[in-house]
DNA sequence: GCAATCG
DNA sequence: CGATTGCAACGCTCG
DNA sequence: CGAGCG
């Protein structure tokens, strides 16, 4: 990667706006992202201090009063307060939030960084990867922002070392408190200065990176306008700054002040492209054009694509009106939002954004939004504002996007913490990288926008959307009644417009809850028609049993692509779109992206009806009510991920959890063959027991047909059932143990295994814990394997009894993690990677790369709905090479610290 | 989901 | 003839 | 010693 441009200082003029500022921002970001070899930083090139001196750096993050997601960070370097702002950006790393520097103006001009804030922050946790580094949280996650250890590397040895991020004050009442301080404290290492030492500024008063001094920066005008107020912080250490304080104040009074105040900043003369104008009744929204590949380059910025309703908020004299894409007034449907907006915007404005409901992962959920709308309970609706078209008598549609967003950010500064109105953050630069990350963690996609362009109504090339999965609107042309219920749909018949012709594209039979199925039934019956609405006649099979409808309803459908004859592949219903015109439902291109790992997932194009030779009975039975996943939907899932799950389960004895009536009805364990099994299901005998095994998709489909919701293989294969080729350590949180501790535990297990020369991989279980899996060459028998596992668990419990226990006694487990080794006995099983779970939410046990394992990936993070999308965007299999690992259990001793406390097998 | 068994 | 009922198993703890 | 629990 090329080094950043060298003209950074020259580019720091205060009047800088729009694309220039963005470019500079990008430059900094790229610096932060550049894995630079140590020791040759810019400090050297820019003229670092003659005597590199150790720094005493204090880092204080102070929440602005009543602000959410917007902090001022203060960096106190040897008594000089430095200040810059960050806001929370989109999640790019699974389960984590990215912090991106938001304000460029700070004296240490290179201080761009990326930070990681675990879910829920703020308040949640923190935080920073600087150049490169790690954040290890400590203590009780329930405290919200946590203590932890932050390790990172900075260019410039003055800043190197070990750091602690500590929250002070506020406590649990942080929500109510406007004072919340964070201190980033450097350890007392060899670089630290003693209390009596001379002020470091006497020795070195320059930026370690640029070599510039505060005075330099002041004269260049790069200091923040609100500098001096910041310094009023009583915690700030008075020092060299006092001398420059008055001068700075005077300088600020001139022109820097407006930058901090949106209204003052709004002088149309200072905002490119802005002009005076009346508050318009409605601005035709700008629509993004679907793009297969996300654009990349400094001209673009990228936002998360939200899954909700596009809403234009028109605030006139403090009263908000909420308008849909077509200008319909939905204020009454989103009353709480309107109220919240009225609170935040005192004057007049037109804000563009998306109303969504977030699921527990912070991912927007269209279905949940619809449910909320229907129930009339829109209190949980969040408005992500992403554009500002008008503000207090100034028409901003002519201003560049970067400028509009800057003003929007200022406008929303006062949005209350945890409030319903949030700024949609953006990341500039590499859209594809952002998209891939977004897709891996279950987001819908990204929207890329030209930062330098004005707001143009209608669909244009300045805004582009790139989706993780093909997802679009279709016209509902009819339905097939449910086979097992009355007055409910079993599947929908869909069409798209090609010109004025409605064209048949097939059916969708999953994704609607039982409630949806009933509501759809009623809605479609209300527009019933006697004949198909399609322009061309249909094949007889496609028309069988269908109740037709006028082309009045629009459904949002997710699909995995199209078959050769133009029909939907693996379609899933997402909701009715009342805000969309049926005429707009045209065929969109599927996402082109297919990474090498994704090829496994591709094109299991299986004929709709007998699926891999298996006939599904009651395909419209809803197996997971919350997600509306039907038996057909489960079959689709299995077909799609077959190449991923089959290596985990094929040719192994299986235990199955079957729930023929659905995940929340009666389930039972099945281990022995039963009547009706397809011939693709093997029923060999091990010992005296007949067992079940499969070896291909057809076998898997047969299991689906019998209501198999979970698949638990042995840790050995049919070839050699008595000698395990997998060990599994199940890390089970006791009462009151949070997931971050489980993550640490998994890493501990990994380390202990590594100490014995064993490689391991990790997966979520879809439940509360994690599994650490050890591949083995089948050699040792079950007794030995179990003894080894027991030994490792016992060693962990012995060495760190506060963290671990190896007894499954409930009492011993509160506050600890049960290291369950019992899955390593003969006949014992553990849930397979990629198996669904018979639990609410349709979670899936998901293999992760060790690097992906962060404290904020919930163990039930991934579900049937998003696993196919995740897999399609992986660049490599997280468990790649598992079978290539050739390793055996060490002889008769367990991990290094362990006292051998076990009877030999 | 299916079949054996119960009432 | 419709309704009801299994459909694993093993070590370990707790009552 | 049997029921309960993963």
């Amino acid at each position: 990667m090329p080094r950043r441009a060298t003209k950074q200082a020259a580019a720091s003029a205060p009047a800088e706006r729009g694309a220039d500022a963005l470019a500079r921002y990008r430059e900094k970001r790229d610096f932060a992202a550049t894995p630079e070899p140590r020791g040759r930083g810019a400090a050297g090139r820019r003229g670092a201090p003659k005597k590199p001196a150790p720094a005493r750096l204090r880092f204080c993050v102070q929440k602005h009063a009543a602000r959410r997601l917007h902090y001022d960070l203060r960096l106190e370097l040897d008594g000089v307060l430095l200040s810059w702002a960050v806001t929370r950006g989109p999640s790019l790393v699974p389960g984590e939030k990215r912090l991106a520097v938001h304000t460029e103006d700070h004296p240490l001009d290179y201080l761009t960084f990326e930070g990681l804030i675990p879910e829920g922050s703020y308040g949640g946790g923190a935080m920073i990867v600087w150049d490169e580094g790690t954040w290890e949280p400590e203590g009780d996650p329930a405290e919200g922002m946590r203590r932890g250890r932050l390790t990172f590397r900075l260019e410039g040895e003055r800043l190197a070392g070990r750091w602690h991020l500590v929250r002070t004050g506020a406590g649990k009442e942080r929500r109510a408190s406007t004072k919340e301080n964070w201190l980033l404290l450097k350890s007392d290492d060899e670089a630290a200065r003693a209390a009596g030492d001379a002020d470091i500024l006497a020795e070195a008063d320059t930026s370690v990176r640029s070599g510039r001094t505060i005075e330099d920066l002041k004269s260049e005008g790069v200091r923040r306008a609100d500098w001096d107020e910041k310094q009023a912080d009583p915690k700030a250490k008075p020092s060299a700054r006092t001398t420059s304080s008055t001068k700075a104040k005077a300088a600020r009074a001139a022109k820097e002040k407006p930058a901090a105040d949106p209204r003052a900043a709004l002088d149309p003369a200072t905002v490119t492209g802005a002009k005076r104008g009346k508050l318009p009744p409605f601005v035709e929204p700008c629509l993004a054009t679907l793009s297969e590949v996300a654009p990349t380059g400094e001209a673009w910025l990228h936002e998360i694509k939200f899954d909700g309703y596009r809403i234009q908020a028109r605030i006139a004299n403090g009263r908000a009106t909420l308008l849909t894409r077509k200008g319909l007034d939905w204020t009454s449907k989103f009353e709480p939002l309107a109220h919240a907006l009225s609170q935040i915007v005192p004057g007049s404005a037109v804000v563009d954004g998306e109303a969504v409901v977030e699921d527990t992962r912070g991912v927007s959920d269209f279905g949940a939004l619809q449910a909320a709308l229907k129930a009339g309970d829109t209190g949980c609706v969040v408005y992500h504002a992403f554009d500002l078209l008008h503000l207090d008598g100034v028409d901003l549609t002519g201003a560049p996007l970067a400028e509009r967003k800057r003003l929007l950010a200022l406008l929303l500064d006062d949005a209350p913490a945890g409030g319903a109105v949030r700024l949609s953050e953006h990341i500039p630069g590499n859209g594809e990288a952002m998209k891939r990350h977004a897709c891996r963690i279950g987001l819908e996609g990204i929207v890329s926008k030209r930062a330098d362009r004005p707001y143009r109504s209608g669909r244009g090339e300045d805004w582009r959307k790139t989706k993780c999965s093909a997802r679009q609107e279709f016209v509902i042309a009819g339905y097939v009644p449910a086979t097992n219920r009355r007055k409910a749909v079993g599947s929908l018949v869909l069409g798209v417009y090609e010109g004025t012709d409605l064209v048949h594209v097939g059916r969708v039979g999953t994704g609607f809850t039982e409630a949806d199925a009933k509501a759809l039934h009623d809605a479609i019956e209300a527009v019933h028609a006697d004949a198909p609405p399609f322009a061309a006649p249909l094949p007889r099979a496609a028309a069988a049993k269908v109740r037709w409808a006028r082309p009045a309803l629009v459904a949002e459908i997710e699909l995995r692509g199209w078959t050769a004859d133009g029909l939907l592949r693996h379609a899933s219903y997402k909701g009715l779109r009342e805000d969309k015109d049926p005429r707009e439902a045209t065929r969109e291109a599927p996402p082109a992206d297919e990474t090498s790992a994704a090829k496994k997932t591709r094109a299991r194009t299986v004929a709709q009806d007998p699926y891999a030779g298996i006939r599904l009975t009651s395909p419209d039975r809803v197996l997971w009510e919350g997600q509306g996943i039907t038996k057909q939907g489960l079959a689709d899932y299995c077909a799609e991920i077959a190449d991923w799950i089959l290596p985990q389960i094929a040719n192994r004895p299986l235990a199955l959890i079957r729930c023929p009536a659905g995940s929340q009805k009666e389930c039972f364990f099945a281990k022995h063959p039963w009547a009706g099994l397809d011939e693709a299901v093997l029923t060999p005998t091990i010992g005296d027991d007949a067992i079940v095994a499969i070896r291909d998709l057809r076998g898997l489909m047969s299991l689906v047909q019998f209501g198999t919701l979970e698949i638990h293989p042995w840790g050995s294969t049919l070839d050699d059932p008595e000698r395990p080729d997998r060990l599994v350590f199940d890390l089970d949180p006791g009462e009151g143990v949070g997931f971050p501790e489980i993550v640490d535990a998994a890493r501990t297990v990994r380390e202990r295994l590594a100490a014995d020369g064993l490689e391991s991989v990790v997966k979520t279980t879809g439940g509360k814990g994690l599994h650490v899996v050890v591949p083995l060459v089948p050699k040792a028998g079950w007794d030995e394997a179990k003894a080894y596992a027991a030994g490792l668990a016992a060693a962990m419990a012995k060495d760190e009894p506060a963290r671990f226990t190896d007894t499954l006694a409930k009492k011993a487990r509160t506050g600890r993690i049960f290291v369950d080794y019992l899955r390593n006995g003969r006949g014992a099983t553990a849930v397979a990677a990629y198996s669904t779970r018979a639990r609410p939410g349709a979670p899936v046990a998901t293999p992760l790369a060790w690097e992906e394992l962060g404290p904020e990936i919930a163990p039930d993070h991934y579900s049937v709905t998003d696993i196919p999308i995740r897999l399609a965007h992986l660049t490599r299999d997280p468990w790649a090479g598992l079978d290539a690992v050739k390793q055996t259990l060490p002889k008769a001793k367990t991990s290094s610290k362990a006292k051998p406390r076990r009877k030999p097998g």
Side-chain angles (χ1 to χ4, degrees):
Chain A
M1 187 169 178
R3 287 291 299 176
R4 70 208 172 281
T6 53
K7 50 176 196 275
Q8 198 163 1
S12 303
E16 188 174 27
R17 291 285 183 260
D20 289 338
L22 197 82
R24 192 152 52 89
Y25 176 13
R26 172 108 197 282
E27 213 167 66
K28 291 173 186 172
R29 183 199 56 140
D30 284 350
F31 164 70
T34 304
E36 185 63 20
R38 278 142 239 260
R40 264 300 323 149
R45 290 194 282 116
R46 279 229 182 101
K50 328 284 182 251
K51 278 183 259 175
R56 185 170 288 271
L57 187 65
R58 289 222 318 211
F59 179 92
C60 171
V61 186
Q62 184 159 36
K63 191 184 82 171
H64 270 189
R67 281 184 193 173
R68 183 184 161 74
L69 307 181
H70 188 149
Y71 300 90
D72 253 294
L73 305 187
R74 303 172 173 220
L75 185 74
E76 186 184 345
L77 176 57
D78 298 315
V80 178
L81 267 181
L82 314 172
S83 173
W84 70 100
V86 297
T87 56
R88 188 174 75 165
S91 315
L92 291 185
V93 175
E96 293 171 323
K97 301 293 182 194
R98 168 181 287 205
L99 271 186
V101 168
H102 195 251
T103 302
E104 306 82 2
D105 299 344
H106 51 73
L108 293 184
D109 52 339
Y110 59 93
L111 273 179
T112 301
F113 63 86
E114 293 177 14
L116 305 174
I117 293 195
E119 190 64 50
S121 172
Y122 106 155
M127 132 99 160
I128 299 173
V129 175
W130 204 333
D131 278 8
E132 57 186 33
T134 58
W135 160 250
E136 303 163 28
E138 294 167 354
D140 180 7
E143 278 178 19
M145 292 291 226
R146 298 182 288 259
R147 285 166 195 280
R149 184 172 304 126
L150 177 72
T151 316
F152 58 85
R153 180 176 67 81
L154 278 175
E155 296 206 6
E157 45 195 294
R158 284 199 299 171
L159 301 178
R162 201 155 178 84
W163 298 78
H164 301 276
L165 185 63
V166 178
R167 188 182 63 162
T168 62
K172 297 208 175 185
E173 306 81 47
R174 68 179 184 283
R175 239 168 255 290
S177 168
T178 58
K179 254 304 208 303
E180 179 174 279
N181 295 321
W182 289 71
L183 297 177
L184 180 59
L185 302 172
K186 194 159 184 285
S187 291
D188 264 347
D189 57 18
E190 60 284 356
R193 296 163 69 82
D197 286 358
D199 187 336
I200 189 166
L201 283 181
E203 297 171 28
D205 60 354
T206 55
S207 161
V208 278
R209 235 346 250 317
S210 68
R212 293 188 286 175
T213 65
I214 294 294
E215 291 302 314
D216 292 337
L217 292 158
K218 217 189 311 175
S219 60
E220 288 170 33
V222 295
R223 263 190 357 174
R224 283 179 61 91
D226 47 355
W227 187 266
D228 289 285
E229 278 89 348
K230 308 281 166 196
Q231 294 191 344
D233 179 4
K235 287 208 162 51
K237 223 171 154 180
S239 178
R241 70 178 162 85
T242 37
T243 56
S244 60
S245 175
T246 3
K247 242 198 298 183
K249 224 171 226 158
R252 182 198 70 218
K255 64 185 274 199
E256 291 182 23
K257 168 91 178 191
D261 174 0
R263 260 148 257 291
L266 198 61
D267 180 357
T270 67
V271 178
T272 322
K275 56 179 193 287
R276 297 250 163 235
K278 279 199 308 194
L279 185 71
F282 177 62
V283 180
E284 193 78 21
C286 176
L287 303 177
T289 304
L290 185 66
S291 168
E292 293 190 5
V293 177
T296 286
E298 294 190 358
W300 294 93
L301 54 84
H302 313 278
E303 299 170 356
I304 286 175
K305 185 173 188 303
F306 293 102
D307 188 15
Y309 279 103
R310 182 76 173 271
I311 293 288
Q312 185 172 112
R314 180 180 187 271
I315 302 117
N317 300 315
R319 289 188 62 87
T321 312
L322 305 180
L323 306 166
T324 65
R325 263 162 54 115
K326 288 185 287 194
L328 301 177
D329 188 338
W330 276 27
T331 312
S332 57
K333 297 204 190 201
F334 292 113
E335 195 52 58
L337 268 191
H339 181 73
L341 278 156
S342 305
Q343 296 294 304
I344 294 160
V345 183
S348 297
V350 175
V351 176
D352 197 0
E354 187 107 354
V356 304
V357 169
E358 295 189 342
D359 63 19
T360 50
R361 294 152 20 194
V363 175
S364 59
D365 184 336
F366 184 71
L369 174 59
Q370 286 199 311
L373 272 174
K374 202 161 106 197
D377 172 26
T378 51
C380 53
V381 173
V382 171
Y383 185 65
H384 291 274
F386 50 67
D387 214 323
L388 181 62
L389 312 185
H390 190 99
L391 181 58
D392 289 340
V394 177
D395 175 5
L396 292 167
T397 54
L401 173 64
E403 194 68 356
R404 301 196 307 274
K405 286 208 76 165
R406 185 179 69 82
L407 293 169
L408 179 64
L410 292 169
L411 187 68
L412 297 184
D413 255 5
D414 293 331
V421 180
R422 301 173 193 178
L423 177 69
S424 167
E425 294 294 340
H426 62 260
I427 296 282
N430 189 336
E432 269 303 297
M434 172 153 170
K435 184 190 97 184
R436 269 200 309 278
H437 280 120
C439 295
R440 276 178 222 168
I441 62 175
L443 296 172
E444 201 198 336
I446 64 169
V447 178
S448 308
K449 302 176 179 176
R450 284 285 298 250
D452 55 341
R453 293 297 168 87
Y455 191 91
R456 293 217 183 90
S457 296
R459 215 172 283 283
E461 291 295 319
D462 292 347
W463 288 18
R464 298 205 196 150
K465 57 186 174 189
T466 318
K467 299 181 180 182
C468 296
S469 66
R471 192 183 242 234
Q472 65 161 98
E473 290 90 40
F474 290 92
V475 177
I476 298 178
Y479 72 93
V480 181
T483 55
N484 51 0
R485 281 161 296 156
R486 287 162 40 87
K487 301 198 119 199
V489 302
S491 62
L492 302 177
V493 179
L494 302 173
V496 291
Y497 276 98
E498 290 181 0
T500 56
D501 290 349
L502 188 63
V503 177
H504 176 252
V505 295
R507 300 180 184 181
V508 57
T510 191
F512 26 76
T513 64
E514 296 199 10
D516 290 335
K518 280 202 166 55
L520 280 166
H521 172 272
D522 295 347
I524 301 172
E525 279 300 328
V527 294
H528 175 261
D530 290 326
F534 300 116
L538 251 50
R540 185 168 327 149
K545 295 187 219 154
V546 178
R547 296 266 300 166
W548 300 107
R550 294 198 315 270
L553 299 173
V554 176
E556 169 133 338
I557 306 290
E558 181 173 294
L559 59 147
R560 282 293 110 66
W562 301 90
T563 62
D565 39 355
L567 298 182
L568 299 165
R569 197 159 61 79
H570 296 162
S572 173
Y573 171 83
K574 294 296 166 189
L576 272 185
R577 295 304 305 235
E578 291 169 36
D579 58 335
K580 296 288 174 76
D581 185 335
R583 295 270 154 188
E584 286 180 41
T586 56
R587 205 184 293 259
E588 295 175 10
D593 187 276
E594 191 176 271
T595 58
S596 55
K599 292 223 169 69
K600 277 196 205 177
T601 312
R602 183 197 44 193
R604 280 257 170 198
T605 311
V606 186
Q608 288 296 53
D609 264 352
Y611 225 136
I614 301 296
R615 183 185 54 94
L616 285 188
T617 59
S618 36
D620 44 15
R621 163 153 297 147
V622 176
L623 261 22
W624 284 271
E625 170 63 12
Q627 291 55 234
I629 294 166
T630 57
K631 201 163 150 185
Q632 181 70 54
L634 176 60
D636 286 352
Y637 169 81
C638 289
E640 214 171 343
I641 55 105
D643 287 339
W644 297 80
I645 194 174
L646 281 172
Q648 307 298 327
I649 58 175
N651 300 309
R652 290 171 186 276
L654 301 179
L656 307 163
I657 290 180
R658 294 177 52 201
C659 317
S663 61
Q664 46 249 86
K665 296 286 179 20
E666 285 286 288
C667 296
F668 55 89
F669 226 90
K671 197 169 163 182
H672 303 303
W674 60 89
L677 278 170
D678 186 83
E679 61 189 15
V681 179
L682 313 177
T683 56
T685 308
I686 294 179
D688 289 335
D689 289 329
I691 54 98
V692 176
I694 62 168
R695 52 183 173 203
D696 54 19
L697 178 61
R698 179 164 171 162
L700 182 56
M701 281 301 159
S702 183
L703 298 186
V704 170
Q705 159 57 16
F706 287 100
T708 302
L709 265 44
E710 300 191 9
I711 301 176
H712 299 237
W714 283 27
S716 65
T717 63
L718 293 181
D719 297 336
D720 199 352
E722 299 308 329
R723 288 188 291 178
D725 67 344
R726 299 242 148 130
L727 295 186
V728 177
F729 293 89
D730 178 14
L731 300 168
D732 228 14
E735 191 81 17
V737 177
F739 189 62
E741 289 88 320
I742 296 289
V743 168
D744 288 341
R747 296 201 180 113
T748 304
V749 172
R750 183 194 189 195
E751 283 161 19
R752 285 187 177 259
L753 289 165
D756 283 342
L758 296 175
E759 283 185 44
S760 56
V761 293
V762 66
K763 71 172 188 273
T764 69
T765 59
K768 280 186 296 190
L770 288 173
H771 282 175
V772 176
V773 177
V774 187
L776 294 175
V777 174
K779 189 166 167 230
W782 284 111
D783 287 348
E784 190 182 334
K786 187 171 176 184
Y788 172 78
L792 192 139
M796 285 174 68
K798 180 171 186 302
D799 292 344
E800 295 181 89
R803 285 174 75 196
F804 306 118
T805 174
D806 63 337
T807 62
L808 74 185
K810 224 188 322 184
K811 210 172 92 190
R813 289 171 56 176
T814 50
R816 286 193 266 272
I817 294 164
F818 174 45
V819 183
D820 183 356
Y821 59 90
L822 294 165
R823 286 153 197 284
N824 299 299
R826 183 180 186 279
T829 61
V831 70
Y834 302 109
S835 169
T836 56
R837 303 305 304 268
R839 303 171 185 226
V844 169
T846 305
L848 299 174
W850 281 109
E851 310 83 74
E852 288 181 287
L853 186 64
E856 302 309 321
I857 291 248
D860 58 354
H861 182 88
Y862 294 104
S863 74
V864 170
T865 327
D866 36 41
I867 280 295
I869 299 170
R870 167 177 160 85
L871 296 182
H873 290 89
L874 286 174
T875 41
R876 68 189 177 87
D877 183 348
W879 282 13
L882 188 65
D883 292 323
V885 176
K886 304 296 179 203
Q887 56 190 12
T888 54
L889 294 176
K891 282 269 187 295
K893 77 166 176 39
T894 60
S895 75
S896 49
K897 286 196 232 168
K899 285 258 164 65
R901 181 232 81 159
R902 65 194 165 74
K903 48 187 178 143

